[in-house]
Amino acid sequence: MSGGDTPPGPRRGLASRLSVQNWVHLILAVFVLVVCAGLTVGGLVLSRMSDRTTELVDRIQPARSSSFQLQNALLDQETGVRGFALTGDSVFLRPYEAGMRDEQLRMARVRALVGDEQPFARDLDRIAAAAREWRSRHAEPLVAAVRRDGPASESSAPIRRSKNEFDTLRRLYTAQQAHLDVARDRARADLGSARATRDRMLISLVVGFLLAVGSLSLLLHRMVGRPLGRLTAASETVSSGAFGNRIAVDGPSDVRAVATAVEDMRRRIVEELAESRDREVLLAEQAQELRRSNAELEQFAYVASHDLQEPLRKVASFCGLLEKRYGAQLDDRARQYIDHAVDGAGRMQVLIDDLLTLSRMGRVHDRWKQVDLDRSLDRALANLALVVEESGATVVREGPLPALNGDPTALSMVWQNLIGNALKFRRPDVPCRITVGCVREGDDWHFRVADNGIGIAPEFSQKVFVIFQRLHGRDEYEGTGIGLALCRKIVELHGGGIWLDPETAEGTCIRFTLPVSPTAPARTEARQLAADPAAGSPVHG
């Protein structure tokens, strides 16, 4: 719909009410939740692994090592007592005494490691009780008996009883080692299980993360990417020139807001385009009417100036015949009147000739060709040779002039009018010097024609290029006031510009530009009509 009230659309769900920024925040929140969940599970698994590792490295393995050292301390006691009983040498009591000290240290170390955990604490209590009982009932009495009665044999009853009692102690710390081995194996199994769980969890997290990324990317593409793509395609279609296509895009709220703004802009463009086309049609009609009017005016100017030639020639001719035939009968006043009439007719004929030249300028471009401006200036100077010689003027060229595409006759007329004006408006008491120069500035040639004549006041810098505008009376300087207007028309016809340099210290300096590669203007209907007045004026002959 290009205008009017827009009917209410269907109620939009939560997905449509969310903006692109909301969707991005939502997706980021889901990502954060997934990452947090993975970190939590991973933390739990790592905590379990750390606990199992701590239990195995810091408790079970040191407890097993201290238990072995406790067993060695007890064995040293039994070996020392049995050696002393067999030999009576007190040297064998040293391992016994050292073993008792080591037993206390190792017992305290193992108890510190296992604490009250069962069955380790119970095993340790049994070993401690059995060790005390063995020392009190067998080791100490046997040492006392050897000191009193001397060494005994291996097969003696006290030694056998001591050995049998110590075997009970052996069974107790063997059971303790078995319990510690079971705890070690269980800790290793738990650690391996935790590692397997960690590996599975890592794989699950990676797979879950990839699935989450894929799912959220698909969701972002469906909820944001597709509407943006449709908006882009619709905008490109409109920008390619299909302004009639309506832009209607669903999706997030801000995408729909942008689509609405673009649609409003499209409607305004369509309305302005329609108005612009109406204006173009009106301008085309006005331009056509203006061309027709210009053609008629140009034709009228040509026909009028052309048809005035014959009456002026007749006036001048009959005035001459009147003076010749009846000159003897006329007084001085009559002859003066005849002279005024002849002079006026002559000036009118010159003016009409100049008007014809001005009206013809720019009508025919079939003669455009490469023009050497040096030769064009030479032709102009040849036409002004008599005036140059009479005035004693000097024409100086600052350098060679370029060649360009143009009308050779018209360009010669530019030089002839500019140099002719310099010669006409020279100072009588100063030798006339005219300078012609040219420099290239970008894509234009910049020309200057300077003289040391009477000059032109800056306030008349525009007036001198208007047709029929004269700054001096006819009794001072002859002319019709068309020369500079004709130069302006020729220069502009060639795509350049002409102006008076107001900063000239002496005389007058006229500057004009011409393109390095000027293009001949199209031959318009008005110029065709004016070039062939018979086609539009059946009355003239």
Side-chain angles (χ1 to χ4, degrees), residues 441-463:
E441 296 180 352
D443 294 333
D444 293 325
W445 291 108
H446 192 143
F447 301 91
R448 60 184 289 271
V449 178
D451 61 58
N452 59 348
I454 62 176
I456 300 175
E459 58 266 25
F460 300 118
S461 59
Q462 296 297 326
K463 183 178 179 180

Side-chain angles (χ1 to χ4, degrees), residues 293-305:
S293 177
N294 286 341
E296 291 178 354
L297 288 175
E298 233 177 286
Q299 180 186 3
F300 173 78
Y302 181 84
V303 171
S305 59

Side-chain angles (χ1 to χ4, degrees), residues 93-396:
L93 292 178
R94 294 176 183 175
Y96 172 73
E97 295 171 352
M100 287 192 295
R101 291 193 298 270
D102 290 343
E103 176 190 356
Q104 299 301 321
L105 294 175
R106 303 310 172 192
M107 187 72 71
R109 172 64 175 163
V110 174
R111 193 174 296 280
L113 291 172
V114 300
D116 295 333
E117 185 178 354
Q118 301 298 333
F120 310 119
R122 184 171 57 251
D123 292 339
L124 195 60
D125 292 339
R126 289 176 178 175
I127 291 174
R132 286 194 303 269
E133 183 177 0
W134 173 76
R135 280 194 298 271
S136 63
R137 294 181 59 187
H138 299 283
E140 295 296 337
L142 183 60
V143 170
V146 171
R147 285 178 177 173
R148 183 181 64 248
D149 300 330
S153 65
E154 181 73 25
S155 60
S156 64
I159 293 178
R160 286 198 305 273
R161 287 195 297 271
S162 174
K163 182 177 179 299
N164 293 334
E165 187 68 21
F166 195 82
D167 288 341
T168 301
L169 189 60
R170 290 177 188 272
R171 288 191 294 272
L172 289 176
Y173 64 66
T174 300
Q176 181 193 37
Q177 287 295 324
H179 291 158
L180 288 174
D181 290 342
V182 170
R184 178 199 61 190
D185 296 338
R186 184 174 62 250
R188 286 179 176 176
D190 289 343
L191 182 60
S193 176
R195 287 174 177 171
T197 303
R198 178 202 61 187
D199 295 339
R200 289 193 297 270
M201 185 56 61
L202 287 177
I203 294 174
S204 300
L205 285 176
V206 171
V207 173
F209 185 78
L210 293 178
L211 290 177
V213 169
S215 301
L216 294 175
S217 299
L218 180 61
L219 178 62
L220 182 64
H221 174 68
R222 289 176 62 87
M223 301 307 300
V224 178
R226 285 185 179 178
L228 285 177
R230 289 194 295 269
L231 176 58
T232 301
S235 301
E236 290 177 351
T237 301
V238 172
S239 65
S240 64
F243 298 107
N245 289 356
R246 183 175 179 272
I247 298 177
V249 177
D250 294 328
S253 58
D254 48 357
V255 175
R256 286 186 284 106
V258 173
T260 301
V262 176
E263 172 62 16
D264 292 340
M265 181 176 62
R266 182 196 67 82
R267 285 200 299 267
R268 288 196 298 271
I269 291 174
V270 170
E271 293 171 358
E272 293 177 1
L273 183 60
E275 294 176 359
S276 176
R277 287 173 178 171
D278 293 340
R279 288 194 297 269
E280 286 181 359
V281 172
L282 179 61
L283 287 175
E285 294 175 353
Q286 292 176 348
Q288 181 66 24
E289 180 63 21
L290 185 60
R291 284 194 296 268
R292 186 191 63 79
S293 177
N294 286 341
E296 291 178 354
L297 288 175
E298 233 177 286
Q299 180 186 3
F300 173 78
Y302 181 84
V303 171
S305 59
H306 188 274
D307 289 350
L308 286 176
Q309 292 282 356
E310 184 61 25
L312 287 175
R313 282 195 294 269
K314 288 183 178 181
V315 170
S317 177
F318 279 110
C319 287
L321 291 175
L322 183 62
E323 182 180 10
K324 182 178 180 181
R325 179 170 296 184
Y326 301 104
Q329 303 176 16
L330 300 175
D331 57 7
D332 293 337
R333 179 63 62 85
R335 291 190 184 91
Q336 185 179 5
Y337 290 161
I338 292 174
D339 290 340
H340 285 323
V342 171
D343 180 66
R347 284 190 286 107
M348 178 62 75
Q349 192 165 7
V350 171
L351 180 60
I352 291 173
D353 288 338
D354 289 344
L355 283 173
L356 278 173
T357 302
L358 185 64
S359 65
R360 287 169 180 161
M361 189 55 56
R363 289 198 218 126
V364 181
H365 305 290
D366 297 337
R367 294 176 299 175
W368 276 49
K369 61 182 180 180
Q370 194 73 7
V371 180
D372 185 347
L373 293 184
D374 273 319
R375 297 183 60 184
S376 177
L377 179 58
D378 290 338
R379 286 196 298 271
L381 291 176
N383 295 335
L384 298 171
L386 182 59
V387 182
V388 172
E389 182 179 354
E390 289 178 352
S391 61
T394 303
V395 180
V396 178

Side-chain angles (χ1 to χ4, degrees), residues 414 487-498 512-514:
V414 172
C487 292
R488 182 176 186 174
K489 184 172 183 179
I490 294 173
V491 170
E492 290 179 352
L493 184 67
H494 285 75
I498 187 170
F512 65 97
T513 60
L514 292 175

